[in-house]
Amino acid sequence: MTLTPDSPGASRYAEIESAEELRELLGAPMRRAIDKERVALHDRDREWLAQSPFCLISTSDAAGNCDVSPKGDPPGFTRVLDGTTIAIPDRPGNRRADGFLNVLENPHVGLIFLVPGRGETLRINGRARLLRDAPFFDDMVVRGHRPALALVVEIEQVFFHCAKALMRSKLWRPDTWTPDALPSHARIVKDVQYTRESLDELERHYSPERYARKLYEK
């Protein structure tokens, strides 16, 4: 929604328009929050990456249009090349490549790595590039499938983020999960976009059984 002075209810919105105004509202960060930033991987970061099966990759194009893409694989799928460089393999997907296209225009990326059951997250910011092959691709084979592409990130900033957000969301508490409160993915797809397939065909296409067979296939 684009707000203008004539937008309905706009007069009731109290918008923040400067860093000074933001700091006046939030206050200054604690010294520990400032000092936690690092520019190279610590052994604890490497341990976290070795246990993480999932990350979110944030990118933007040259005009600032943003994208966040999830990546998942067996724990340790992110390969540490050295103290300031990591590589994330790409697996077959929908081929939109939104994030990769962004990287070609703007190399700056932000990553968040999760470990199931842990509230903290590891955040890495840096500059990315795309590789179509490298010797370390042989070390990222899963189920006999070698990646055709990898995102290599040169680390500029790394730090751990506290658990408050995941604690508030109760993300890892199964007793709070209500997946059946929403329709199936096939039903959502049928409702929000035009498809030639019938609902039954989409249900078969998006079934967990089919996905499990084709996780690493094009």
Side-chain angles (χ1 to χ4, degrees), residues 36-46 82-85 122 124-125 155-159:
K36 68 181 179 179
E37 292 184 17
R38 290 167 278 110
V39 296
L41 295 172
H42 187 280
D43 286 347
R44 295 305 185 199
D45 304 323
R46 294 170 182 257
D82 57 45
T84 59
T85 315
L122 181 66
I124 294 178
N125 299 318
I155 296 169
E156 297 177 330
Q157 184 184 50
V158 54
F159 58 91

Side-chain angles (χ1 to χ4, degrees), residues 142-215:
V142 176
R143 297 188 186 179
H145 293 272
R146 189 176 188 269
L149 177 68
L151 183 77
V152 174
V153 179
E154 297 173 2
I155 296 169
E156 297 177 330
Q157 184 184 50
V158 54
F159 58 91
F160 282 100
H161 194 105
C162 77
K164 288 181 180 177
L166 272 71
M167 291 174 66
R168 294 186 189 111
S169 68
K170 301 179 181 178
L171 183 66
W172 303 126
R173 284 185 48 181
D175 60 301
T176 69
W177 297 349
T178 56
D180 295 334
L182 295 167
S184 69
H185 183 58
R187 177 74 266 175
I188 292 173
V189 169
K190 193 67 176 173
D191 288 345
V192 304
Q193 70 184 75
Y194 170 76
T195 63
R196 293 185 177 87
E197 299 91 343
S198 68
L199 178 60
D200 287 342
E201 290 172 326
L202 289 174
E203 292 286 6
R204 289 193 293 272
H205 177 78
Y206 291 115
S207 70
E209 295 78 16
R210 180 181 180 277
Y211 270 22
R213 292 195 307 271
K214 295 182 174 295
L215 277 180

Side-chain angles (χ1 to χ4, degrees), residues 52-67:
S52 176
F54 181 83
C55 76
L56 297 167
I57 303 177
S58 171
T59 62
S60 68
D61 64 17
N65 300 299
C66 297
D67 180 73

Side-chain angles (χ1 to χ4, degrees), residues 16-173:
I16 294 173
E17 299 180 318
S18 70
E20 292 76 15
E21 189 179 356
L22 179 63
R23 281 298 170 207
E24 182 180 356
L25 177 67
L26 298 182
M30 294 184 297
R31 187 72 212 180
R32 187 171 61 253
I34 297 174
D35 291 345
K36 68 181 179 179
E37 292 184 17
R38 290 167 278 110
V39 296
L41 295 172
H42 187 280
D43 286 347
R44 295 305 185 199
D45 304 323
R46 294 170 182 257
E47 291 172 355
W48 192 274
L49 292 173
Q51 295 299 320
S52 176
F54 181 83
C55 76
L56 297 167
I57 303 177
S58 171
T59 62
S60 68
D61 64 17
N65 300 299
C66 297
D67 180 73
V68 177
S69 177
K71 299 293 180 183
D73 238 342
F77 73 101
T78 298
R79 182 165 180 78
V80 176
L81 301 182
D82 57 45
T84 59
T85 315
I86 59 174
I88 301 172
D90 185 49
R91 304 298 180 185
N94 59 19
R95 303 175 189 169
R96 282 181 57 102
D98 299 283
F100 294 149
L101 290 170
N102 285 347
V103 166
L104 293 175
E105 294 187 19
N106 174 7
H108 297 284
V109 299
L111 314 174
I112 293 182
F113 290 90
L114 286 81
V115 171
R118 290 294 296 258
E120 307 83 10
T121 56
L122 181 66
R123 290 172 57 175
I124 294 178
N125 299 318
R127 297 175 64 88
R129 52 200 171 101
L130 304 177
L131 297 186
R132 62 187 304 166
D133 199 7
F136 62 81
F137 278 37
D138 293 336
D139 299 318
M140 297 194 292
V141 173
V142 176
R143 297 188 186 179
H145 293 272
R146 189 176 188 269
L149 177 68
L151 183 77
V152 174
V153 179
E154 297 173 2
I155 296 169
E156 297 177 330
Q157 184 184 50
V158 54
F159 58 91
F160 282 100
H161 194 105
C162 77
K164 288 181 180 177
L166 272 71
M167 291 174 66
R168 294 186 189 111
S169 68
K170 301 179 181 178
L171 183 66
W172 303 126
R173 284 185 48 181

